[in-house]
Amino acid sequence: MSVIESTTRPHGQDRYTISEVAALTGLTAHTLRWYERIGLMPHVDRSHTGQRRFAQRDLDWLAFVGKLRLTGMPVAAMVRYAELVREGDHTRDERRELLETTRRDVLSRIGELQDALAVLDIKISHYGIHPDQCGGPTS
């Protein structure tokens, strides 16, 4: 199942304009063009008039790129990952290593954020408010 599901197109007609993709993803048309220019987007099909036509697989890829952005992965590393995907199966080990490195970074950041949250909880409790009353989890 894709992260961004096609609900408005009949099966087999999954072509979206750049404005539709922008609306579906929250990305701007400028960002989508930039992603394509720097090699972060795989080849985007064009209509006979040259207009970009995104497929469901492009939306799925953009959802994945969005998750990579949330991890803090540098754009250069995301572009490298995209290049490796295009190069084929023989790059699986290098792709896995890129993702494993990013995963380690995420786990480290989670630990740092948990430490920061614990400090905030202590400070909040000094004001006589239990941290659970602040509207979020404490661990």
Side-chain angles (χ1 to χ4, degrees):
M1 180 185 306
S2 68
V3 177
I4 302 172
E5 291 194 37
S6 175
T7 57
T8 60
R9 303 280 195 256
H11 181 68
Q13 296 180 4
D14 65 339
R15 295 289 183 242
Y16 301 86
T17 65
I18 197 165
S19 59
E20 290 171 322
V21 173
L24 287 167
T25 63
L27 298 169
T28 65
H30 175 77
T31 298
L32 292 166
R33 287 184 202 100
W34 180 65
Y35 279 4
E36 186 179 8
R37 190 171 53 252
I38 65 172
L40 188 53
M41 281 293 300
H43 173 74
V44 176
D45 290 335
R46 304 279 178 148
S47 70
H48 68 282
T49 61
Q51 188 178 42
R52 287 171 180 84
R53 291 291 182 206
F54 295 84
Q56 185 62 44
R57 68 175 162 32
D58 298 319
L59 295 178
D60 295 342
W61 176 256
L62 287 169
F64 177 65
V65 167
K67 296 300 182 193
L68 293 179
R69 286 178 52 218
L70 284 175
T71 70
M73 180 186 265
V75 172
M78 288 188 276
V79 170
R80 178 65 185 142
Y81 184 87
E83 290 169 350
L84 292 169
V85 168
R86 285 191 293 273
E87 288 176 23
D89 268 354
H90 70 279
T91 66
R92 291 176 61 91
D93 290 342
E94 194 173 347
R95 283 184 272 161
R96 187 188 69 244
E97 180 56 37
L98 260 173
L99 295 177
E100 287 173 352
T101 298
T102 300
R103 185 178 190 280
R104 285 190 296 271
D105 293 344
V106 167
L107 287 172
S108 175
R109 286 184 35 228
I110 288 171
E112 291 168 357
L113 287 171
Q114 286 174 330
D115 290 345
L117 182 59
V119 169
L120 289 173
D121 287 349
I122 290 167
K123 289 296 187 181
I124 290 169
S125 69
H126 287 296
Y127 291 100
I129 299 172
H130 192 275
D132 287 339
Q133 296 171 324
C134 293
T138 59
S139 59

